[in-house]
């Protein structure tokens, strides 16, 4: 008893191989092929996060604004930070920091949180971590909208010459966040401590770039201890944050010639004029960020390699 | 023609953890010794699935059948070997996996279909079909958390079947929903078959396999023990179950339970009718019981073939007026048939010594399964049972056709066209 089975046209069927080892090139191609899924997952995150709250979507604006106000009050009035237009300075630094922070806070637990689909549906799992970075990017753009209002309020114009630098810093920020997000999400499946450890580490990391203090505050220590300078300048977040500040805050004029004790740098026993930002020209920014870019790309590839090594067991471990 | 799925020497090892250590402290405390056992869920599976074919994967719980399906779907990575897939694949391992209760049905369709590999354009194109199939037109903009479980499953199935895959993987999901929806699902599966798509179904229900599969792979303890047309494969599956003593429906122990107490025992609590018994004093015993099948090179019969049961008796002292009875039980212990020789108007006297009795069934109109035969020697008028052998023998029917159920009824379908007059 045979039945004729009409065969469909099988000219160019997509071929796929399931095996223990998948090359990095294939992984990247798979992720690129799932970019629409990435979009849907980001939309899902945006929709679900503030669902059932009274203010709803407004929270994605309100949340960073409130945090900004808290930091402003604490550092300006409690700790007497004398930086001119401090709110703007703070905002310029918080913007790239929030992107990094939001990405990592949520992505480390993302595979565990989505165990249901990881165990039942086949798709490139990196997408889940990347969706968290994508969501953080959306918040970044919302915050940029608020920033524009801020700039108008302070009547400050960004340094247009440095806009490409800012964009480059943004790209570095995204790649760095993606690399760490992918890595941490994979490790967290095996070591659930990671999620909690990341929360603490992020608090410590918050103070590593000059976001709530001026870069100038460190000039003396850097001058005295070269090793500190090396460590400090090898922090990719520092480069990203100062690049943002250079572009957005660079036109704020420090009070001319005004010397502030404890804040104005002392060189050779003489108080120097107070400089909030590093006094470099454009070149060190580009060189520094270039290094961050290359490093982030390497980290991203490494993270994907590691992710690929351990991914096969996710469905069992969850 | 190239195979749609080539499974090449696939093996999968699991680590069975005695206890799972996922915190840093536990990992440090228990560092050094490995708290797991290795377990090969799949051992060197090698098979091809041809385009347009419907392959069933049959096996009991824990045999590795779902692991194999998950490997094909790409959810689990094989430990060694590889799988080559030609064509777009959609896996229905769980309906509505990844549904977000906070989002509307509409948003969930997009997210879920995208997870299954559809592009936005394709989803937009098949959106109306999905909603219509799920019968959720009124509720599509409601949050999914307000859906009933039936609505939830319908939506999940609707998305999965509208993915339009070349290869569809199905894992026992057909057993969901109400009867009408199940029929709809089966209909969709048949439509897929007609369109020449490749389907792989996992189940432990042999009946489902028979009705929809063209070939069945039987997996047991991670090994492929049979790859054959459904009838033959299901038989291999049943044999394996019997071998390992897990065929719960089959009574065990063939010792000479001849003169066991009584009818209630004979019925074995299975609800079968048994003659009222007060049995005699072991004047006769069943020494052997065997089957004579029409073909010596087959250990089974096809539906409608003849079966002869030969019973050897040892008579210790002469008994007058006896009758021989025989009952046939189905797989779940239910009585299918019971007869004795008095029904034919025959009565026998047994002389001391040995004798043999033959029960002849010209036709055995049964479908797939292993059937159990009980034999009894009783007083002609009923009442006293002199000897009872249960189970006396088992025989197996393998159905090469597609019909399912218990009884092989000959059937035909005719269509009579009504011509309008004039």
């Amino acid at each position: 008893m045979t039945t004729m089975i009409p065969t469909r046209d099988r000219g160019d069927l997509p071929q796929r191989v399931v095996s223990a080892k998948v090359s990095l090139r294939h992984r990247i191609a798979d992720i690129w092929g799932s970019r629409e899924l990435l979009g849907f997952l980001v939309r899902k995150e945006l929709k679900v996060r503030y669902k059932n709250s009274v203010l709803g979507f407004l929270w994605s604006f309100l949340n960073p604004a409130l945090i900004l106000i808290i930091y402003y009050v604490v550092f300006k009035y409690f700790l007497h930070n004398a930086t001119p237009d401090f709110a703007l300075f703070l905002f310029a630094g918080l913007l790239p920091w929030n992107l990094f922070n939001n990405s990592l806070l949520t992505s480390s637990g993302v595979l565990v949180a989505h165990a249901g689909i990881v165990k039942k549906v086949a798709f490139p799992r990196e997408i889940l971590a990347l969706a968290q970075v994508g969501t953080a990017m959306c918040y970044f753009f919302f915050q940029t909208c608020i920033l524009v209002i801020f700039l108008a309020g302070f009547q400050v114009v960004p340094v247009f010459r440095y806009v490409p630098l800012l964009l480059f810093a943004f790209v570095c920020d995204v790649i760095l966040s993606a690399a760490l997000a992918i890595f941490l999400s994979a490790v967290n499946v095996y070591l659930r401590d990671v999620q909690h450890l990341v929360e603490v580490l992020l608090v410590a990391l918050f103070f590593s770039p000059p976001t709530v203090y001026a870069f100038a505050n460190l000039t003396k220590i850097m001058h005295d201890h070269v090793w500190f300078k090396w460590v400090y300048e090898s922090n990719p977040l520092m480069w990203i944050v100062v690049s943002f500040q250079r572009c957005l805050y660079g036109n704020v004029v420090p009070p001319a010639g005004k010397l502030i004790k404890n804040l104005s740098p002392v060189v050779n026993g003489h108080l120097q004029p107070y400089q909030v930002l590093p006094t470099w020209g454009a070149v060190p920014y580009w060189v520094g960020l270039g290094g961050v870019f290359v490093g982030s790309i390497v980290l991203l590839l490494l993270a994907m390699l590691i992710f690929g090594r351990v991914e096969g067991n996710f469905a069992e471990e969850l | 023609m190239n195979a749609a799925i080539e499974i090449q020497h696939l093996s999968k090892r699991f680590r069975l953890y005695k206890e799972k250590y996922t915190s840093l402290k536990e990992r440090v405390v228990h560092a050094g010794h490995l708290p797991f056992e290795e377990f090969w869920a799949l051992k060197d599976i090698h098979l091809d699935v041809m385009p347009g074919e419907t392959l069933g994967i049959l096996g009991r719980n824990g045999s590795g059948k779902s692991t194999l399906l998950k490997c094909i779907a790409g959810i689990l990575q094989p430990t060694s070997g590889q799988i080559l897939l030609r064509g777009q694949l959609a896996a229905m391992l769980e309906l509505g996996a990844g549904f977000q209760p906070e989002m509307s049905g509409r948003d969930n369709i997009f997210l879920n279909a995208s997870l299954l590999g559809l592009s936005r354009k394709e989803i937009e194109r098949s959106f109306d079909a999905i909603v219509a199939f799920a019968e959720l037109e009124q509720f599509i903009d409601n949050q999914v958390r307000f859906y009933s479980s039936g609505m939830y499953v319908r939506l999940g199935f609707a998305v999965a079947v509208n993915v339009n895959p070349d290869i569809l993987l199905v894992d026992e999901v057909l057993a969901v929903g109400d009867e009408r929806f199940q029929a709809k699902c089966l209909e969709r599966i048949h439509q897929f078959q007609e369109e020449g798509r490749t389907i792989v179904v996992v189940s432990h229900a042999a009946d489902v396999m028979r009705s929809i599969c063209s070939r069945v792979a039987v997996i047991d303890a991670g090994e492929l023990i049979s790859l054959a047309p459904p009838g033959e494969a299901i038989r291999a599956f049943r044999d394996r179950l019997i071998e390992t003593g897990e065929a719960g429906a089959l009574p065990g122990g063939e010792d000479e339970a001849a003169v066991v107490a009584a009818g209630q025992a004979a019925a074995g609590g299975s609800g079968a009718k048994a003659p009222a018994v007060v049995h005699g004093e072991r004047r006769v015993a069943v020494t052997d019981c065997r089957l004579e099948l029409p073909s010596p090179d087959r250990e089974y019969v096809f539906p409608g073939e003849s079966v002869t049961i030969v019973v050897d008796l040892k008579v210790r002292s002469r008994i007058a007026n006896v009758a021989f009875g025989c009952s046939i039980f189905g797989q779940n212990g239910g009585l299918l048939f019971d007869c004795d020789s008095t029904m034919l108007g025959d009565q026998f006297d047994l002389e001391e010594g040995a004798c043999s009795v033959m029960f002849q069934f010209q036709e055995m109109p049964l479908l797939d399964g292993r059937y159990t035969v009980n034999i009894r020697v009783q007083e002609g008028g009923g009442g006293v049972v002199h000897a009872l052998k249960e189970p006396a023998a088992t025989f197996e029917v393998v159905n090469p056709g597609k019909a399912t159920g218990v009884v092989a009824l000959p059937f035909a379908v005719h269509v009579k066209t009504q011509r309008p007059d004039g």
Side-chain angles (χ1 to χ4, degrees):
Chain A
M1 189 174 76
T2 47
T3 41
M4 282 300 294
I5 298 163
T7 41
R8 298 202 301 154
D9 179 30
R10 313 203 151 253
D12 50 337
L13 286 176
Q15 278 209 19
R16 220 155 57 82
V17 176
V18 180
S19 70
K21 287 206 173 66
V22 182
S23 74
L24 195 57
R25 205 162 52 85
H26 270 107
R27 303 196 72 83
I28 296 172
D30 276 353
I31 293 175
W32 177 247
S34 308
R35 59 194 182 281
E36 281 186 339
L37 172 61
L38 181 61
F40 285 121
L41 282 171
V42 170
R43 275 170 51 134
K44 179 212 103 184
E45 288 293 328
L46 293 178
K47 283 197 174 181
V48 169
R49 188 166 298 181
Y50 296 114
K51 197 90 186 185
N52 299 328
S53 57
V54 179
L55 295 176
F57 202 62
L58 211 59
W59 272 111
S60 41
F61 293 93
L62 218 53
N63 182 316
L66 290 174
I67 289 175
L68 186 77
I69 291 172
I70 295 167
Y71 282 157
Y72 181 76
V73 171
V74 171
F75 287 98
K76 177 87 176 178
Y77 295 107
F78 296 2
L79 297 172
H80 301 294
N81 191 318
T83 309
D85 288 352
F86 179 66
L88 186 60
F89 174 79
L90 195 58
F91 206 155
L94 273 179
L95 207 51
W97 166 258
N98 281 344
L99 173 62
F100 182 80
N101 188 46
N102 288 341
S103 300
L104 297 202
L105 261 185
T106 49
S107 62
S108 46
V110 77
L111 289 175
V112 179
H114 289 79
I117 49 177
V118 171
K119 283 163 115 166
K120 295 286 181 185
V121 189
F123 61 99
R125 277 62 185 273
E126 291 97 329
I127 293 280
L128 286 175
L130 291 178
Q132 300 304 322
V133 180
T135 311
M137 278 165 73
C138 290
Y139 289 127
F140 177 90
F141 290 121
F142 301 151
Q143 290 165 26
T144 311
C145 298
I146 307 180
L147 179 86
V148 172
I149 302 169
F150 256 68
L151 286 172
F154 282 95
Q155 293 182 316
V156 172
V157 181
V159 188
F160 289 113
R161 169 163 81 82
Y162 281 115
V163 169
L165 185 78
L166 179 134
L167 293 178
F168 188 44
F170 171 68
V171 170
C172 292
D173 200 8
V174 170
I175 296 174
L176 181 69
S177 303
L180 293 176
I182 288 175
F183 173 73
L184 292 173
S185 66
V187 178
N188 189 56
V189 173
Y190 295 88
L191 272 177
R192 306 281 161 95
D193 301 64
V194 167
Q195 209 173 332
H196 311 297
L197 200 65
V198 164
E199 285 171 22
V200 181
L201 281 180
L202 280 173
V203 174
L205 270 181
F206 173 69
F207 295 98
S208 72
T211 321
V212 288
Y213 56 89
F215 184 83
N217 294 25
L218 300 173
T219 334
K220 188 173 183 307
I221 315 176
M222 286 203 193
H223 190 263
D224 296 346
H225 306 280
V226 183
W227 65 266
F228 178 77
K229 183 178 156 70
W230 279 100
V231 170
Y232 197 79
E233 289 186 356
S234 60
N235 176 9
L237 284 171
M238 191 281 284
W239 289 102
I240 293 167
V241 165
V242 293
S243 300
F244 268 76
Q245 289 168 340
R246 168 54 68 193
C247 177
L248 296 172
Y249 183 79
N251 274 344
V252 176
V253 188
K258 193 176 166 192
L259 301 183
I260 306 168
K261 212 164 181 212
N262 295 331
L263 274 180
S264 299
V266 183
V267 176
N268 299 331
H270 298 286
L271 275 176
Q272 301 291 310
Y274 181 56
Q275 286 288 338
V276 178
L277 300 179
T279 49
W280 317 315
V283 177
Y285 282 105
W286 283 103
V287 172
L289 269 188
V292 172
F293 181 74
V294 173
S296 302
I297 294 277
V298 171
L299 275 181
L300 182 63
L301 294 179
L302 264 176
M304 287 178 66
L305 267 179
I306 294 170
F307 196 97
R309 284 287 299 276
V310 296
E311 183 195 19
N313 296 325
F314 283 169
E316 303 156 36
E317 296 279 341
L318 285 171
Chain B
M1 189 163 34
N2 283 329
I5 307 172
E6 281 178 37
I7 302 173
Q8 298 165 345
H9 301 291
L10 190 80
S11 295
K12 175 73 192 173
R13 181 189 56 208
F14 280 120
R15 289 179 170 174
L16 294 182
Y17 290 89
K18 296 206 182 77
E19 199 167 331
K20 197 89 188 69
Y21 301 127
T22 44
S23 85
L24 195 60
K25 185 205 92 188
E26 286 175 322
R27 288 242 162 160
V28 170
V29 169
H30 299 277
H33 52 102
L34 303 165
F36 62 81
E37 285 169 31
E38 290 199 339
F39 166 73
W40 288 91
L42 293 174
K43 296 172 203 156
D44 200 31
I45 304 281
H46 196 82
L47 68 99
D48 286 354
V49 186
M50 301 311 285
E53 181 180 30
T54 300
L55 178 81
I57 302 178
L58 187 61
R60 53 188 147 177
N61 290 334
S63 58
K65 58 185 193 304
S66 289
T67 306
L68 179 59
L69 200 73
K70 280 184 179 171
C71 282
I72 299 174
I75 294 165
L76 289 174
Q77 258 177 21
T79 309
S80 68
Q82 62 172 14
I83 302 170
L84 224 84
L85 299 163
R86 293 193 182 85
Q88 204 198 345
L89 177 139
M92 281 200 261
L93 298 187
E94 189 182 288
L95 294 177
F99 273 179
Q100 292 293 323
E102 301 294 330
M103 296 203 312
S104 69
R106 181 184 302 275
D107 290 335
N108 268 307
I109 288 178
F110 275 91
L111 181 62
N112 201 248
S114 180
L115 264 174
L116 294 173
L118 242 63
S119 73
R120 177 190 291 270
K121 265 195 203 130
E122 288 168 315
I123 302 170
E124 275 163 4
R125 214 177 313 131
S126 48
F127 184 84
D128 290 337
I130 293 173
V131 177
F133 190 90
E135 299 162 22
L136 286 172
E137 289 89 344
Q138 303 172 46
F139 307 106
I140 201 62
D141 287 312
N142 289 22
Q143 282 185 16
V144 164
R145 65 179 173 140
F146 297 124
Y147 281 20
S148 72
S149 56
M151 290 156 84
Y152 193 91
V153 169
R154 283 205 314 259
L155 188 62
F157 191 84
V159 174
V161 293
N162 281 291
V163 167
N164 231 18
D166 300 299
I167 303 168
L168 181 71
L169 308 180
V170 185
D171 187 3
E172 319 228 17
V173 287
L174 294 174
V176 297
D178 58 14
E179 218 163 291
R180 195 182 61 89
F181 188 69
Q182 274 189 29
K184 204 168 163 182
C185 298
L186 268 177
E187 186 191 302
R188 192 40 89 93
I189 298 272
H190 286 306
Q191 188 194 329
F192 270 33
Q193 290 175 321
E194 279 160 27
E195 289 165 353
R197 299 175 208 258
T198 313
I199 303 174
V200 179
V201 192
V202 158
S203 181
H204 54 236
D207 266 4
V208 177
M209 292 285 162
R210 173 180 303 285
S211 60
I212 61 177
C213 299
S214 46
R215 274 200 305 167
V216 172
V218 182
I219 305 249
D220 191 60
E223 281 171 285
L224 183 65
I225 56 172
S226 168
L227 178 63
E232 208 180 308
I234 289 167
R235 179 169 173 271
F237 175 54
R238 250 190 336 244
D239 279 356
R240 181 54 69 101
L241 286 185
I242 290 158
E243 250 173 60
T244 50
E246 275 185 42
L250 296 172
E254 299 221 4
D255 57 313
E256 203 197 344
V259 238
V260 254
Q264 279 80 3
S270 59
K273 180 199 109 185
V277 178
V278 187
H279 72 80
E281 54 275 6
R282 297 177 184 242
R283 283 190 286 171
V284 60
V286 177
T287 50
D288 188 32
C289 182
R290 58 191 181 276
L291 294 169
E292 277 174 13
L293 303 179
S295 166
D297 47 300
R298 272 194 277 121
E299 294 166 10
Y300 52 89
V301 294
F302 292 130
E305 284 190 319
S306 67
V307 172
T308 304
I309 302 160
V310 184
V311 184
D312 290 337
L313 298 176
K314 189 182 165 201
V315 186
R316 294 189 180 98
S317 63
R318 185 177 184 282
I319 321 168
N321 187 20
V322 296
F324 302 102
C326 169
S327 358
I328 299 176
F329 294 89
Q331 305 213 67
N332 48 12
L335 179 68
L336 298 178
F337 182 77
D338 183 84
C339 65
D340 65 60
S341 54
T342 55
M343 295 168 183
L344 304 168
D346 292 332
Q347 288 197 3
F348 304 93
D349 296 335
L350 289 179
E351 299 300 331
E352 198 178 320
C355 75
S356 60
V357 183
M358 277 197 283
F359 291 90
Q360 241 178 351
F361 295 91
Q362 242 104 53
E363 277 181 25
M364 191 53 77
L366 294 174
L367 291 177
D368 267 289
R370 187 170 272 280
Y371 299 92
T372 312
V373 179
N374 286 2
I375 298 294
R376 63 182 184 274
V377 182
Q378 67 191 55
E379 198 174 52
V384 176
V385 170
H386 296 295
L388 173 73
K389 174 93 170 164
E390 61 153 3
T394 64
F395 67 93
E396 189 175 13
V397 183
V398 170
N399 172 21
K402 289 268 175 205
T404 59
V406 181
V407 191
L409 299 173
F411 76 107
V413 181
H414 300 287
V415 179
K416 200 170 169 189
T417 313
Q418 301 274 335
R419 290 207 180 76
D421 299 313

